[in-house]
Amino acid sequence: MRVAVVTGGSSGIGRATATLFAEKGWRVYELSRHQRTPLTNVTHIDCDVTDEEQCREAVAHVIQHEQHIDVLVSNAGFGISGSVEFTATDDAKALFDVNFFGALNIVKAVLPYMREAQRGRILFTSSVAAPLSVPYQSFYSASKAALNALALALQNEIRPYGIRVGVLMPGDVRTGFTDARQKNVSELEKQVYPRTEKAVAAMEKDERNGMQPEQMARLFYRMATRRFLPVYTIGGGMYKLFCLLDRLLPKTLVNKIEGAMY
C-alpha cells in the first residue's frame, strides 16, 4: 500500500490532492491545524507545520501505522498583500514561518525515514509568483522563490538516497486561498501607493476565475507516479508561456510588463 502525507490538506489544492490519492488507492494522511469536513479514506492528523515537534510527532504516527512514506506533498501556505514599505515585519515573518519554514519542518521530519528506505518523493506547492514576482504580493512571491531554491539544493543533497524532489508552480487557482489572504492596507498606504487596492482586486478576480484545484491534484498525482520527475512543473498552459518568456526575455523587460499589468 502506497502512503502519501499531505500538509494543508483541509481545503483547496491540498484537499483535492488528498482526495485524488485516496481515490487511486493510496493510504493518505492529511495534516492541518483543524479538520474540516472529513474526507473518505483519508486520515486527519492535527498538525501545525510551524511547530517542528508537531511535525515530527505526526510523521512518527504515520510511520508507526504504515512503516513507510512514499510521497510527501508539502502544501500548507497562505498569502498577504500590500506594499513592501507598509507590510509589518512580523506579518512577513509569519508568512515565511508557514510557507517556507513550515515546509522545511515537515521535510526534516520525513527525511530520516525516506533515507532509511532509500526511496520517496518530496513535492512542494510553489507558485508562478516565484519566478514572476508580483507587486503588492512581494512577500508571498519571496517565500515561494525561497522554496524553489530550497528544492533545487535539496534534490542534489538527497539524490544519493533515491529520493526525488518536485515543485508544482500553479497559476491562478479557484480556492479559499483568495478569501483567506491577509490584507492590511492603512489609509496612509492608500495615499502613498494608490494602486495597491486596485492591483490586489485584479489579482483576486483572476484567482476566482482560475483553474479548479482538482487540476493541480492531477498534476501532483502525475508527479508522484511518473518515472522521470522534473524539479519544476508549471500548472496551466498559459503560465507555461509566461515562464518561458521570463527565461527568454530580459528580466527588466519582463518585470516592467508585469508591473504594467497591476
Side-chain angles (χ1 to χ4, degrees):
M1 178 70 74
R2 292 176 295 180
V3 178
V5 172
V6 182
T7 69
S10 62
S11 63
I13 293 174
R15 184 179 179 86
T17 300
T19 299
L20 179 61
F21 275 67
E23 290 173 351
K24 296 290 187 179
W26 289 54
R27 189 89 70 190
V28 180
Y29 289 82
E30 175 268 305
L31 277 54
S32 55
R33 289 181 299 171
H34 309 289
Q35 184 180 31
R36 297 186 182 179
T37 306
L39 296 172
T40 303
N41 296 325
V42 174
T43 302
H44 168 79
I45 301 176
D46 284 345
C47 179
D48 183 342
V49 294
T50 65
D51 188 318
E52 192 170 1
E53 182 59 30
Q54 284 191 31
C55 289
R56 283 196 295 264
E57 291 175 354
V59 169
H61 176 84
V62 176
I63 293 296
Q64 180 182 358
H65 287 80
E66 307 295 344
Q67 287 74 58
H68 68 282
I69 295 172
D70 297 286
V71 171
L72 165 68
V73 179
S74 175
N75 172 75
F78 76 102
I80 61 176
S81 62
S83 65
V84 170
E85 181 179 354
F86 286 94
T87 298
T89 301
D90 284 345
D91 290 341
K93 287 180 178 179
L95 180 137
F96 266 82
D97 205 21
V98 175
N99 292 8
F100 180 79
F101 291 105
L104 177 63
N105 288 341
I106 197 67
V107 165
K108 291 176 71 174
V110 303
L111 271 178
Y113 303 105
M114 288 187 174
R115 277 195 295 101
E116 183 179 359
Q118 295 282 294
R119 63 187 176 89
R121 293 198 174 187
I122 295 173
L123 309 178
F124 296 102
T125 300
S126 179
S127 171
V128 294
L132 299 169
S133 190
V134 181
Y136 311 108
Q137 287 199 91
S138 52
F139 295 102
Y140 179 76
S141 289
S143 69
K144 295 303 186 179
L147 198 59
N148 284 9
L150 176 72
L152 286 174
L154 178 64
Q155 175 63 95
N156 284 328
E157 292 177 3
I158 62 181
R159 191 187 306 275
Y161 298 103
I163 309 168
R164 296 293 176 261
V165 178
V167 174
L168 176 59
M169 295 192 290
D172 293 315
V173 181
R174 197 182 312 170
T175 69
F177 177 92
T178 302
D179 292 330
R181 180 179 285 112
Q182 181 178 320
K183 302 174 189 175
N184 297 310
V185 183
S186 66
E187 291 303 317
L188 179 58
E189 180 172 1
K190 292 177 185 179
Q191 296 174 26
V192 178
Y193 297 100
R195 294 168 57 192
T196 303
E197 287 188 303
K198 184 178 179 181
V200 173
M203 297 168 200
E204 294 189 340
K205 180 181 178 181
D206 289 340
E207 290 168 358
R208 290 192 173 95
N209 292 297
M211 298 172 287
Q212 294 289 348
E214 288 76 15
Q215 292 176 252
M216 300 304 105
R218 289 193 290 271
L219 287 175
F220 266 132
Y221 188 76
R222 185 182 178 198
M223 292 166 70
T225 57
R226 66 184 299 181
R227 183 173 181 180
F228 172 72
L229 174 63
V231 177
Y232 292 157
T233 297
I234 299 168
M238 176 176 64
Y239 304 101
K240 291 179 182 178
L241 175 61
F242 291 164
C243 291
L244 175 62
L245 292 175
D246 179 55
R247 293 197 297 270
L248 296 177
L249 298 177
K251 192 65 179 179
T252 300
L253 175 60
V254 173
N255 202 41
K256 280 188 176 181
I257 293 171
E258 189 165 10
M261 292 170 60
Y262 299 109

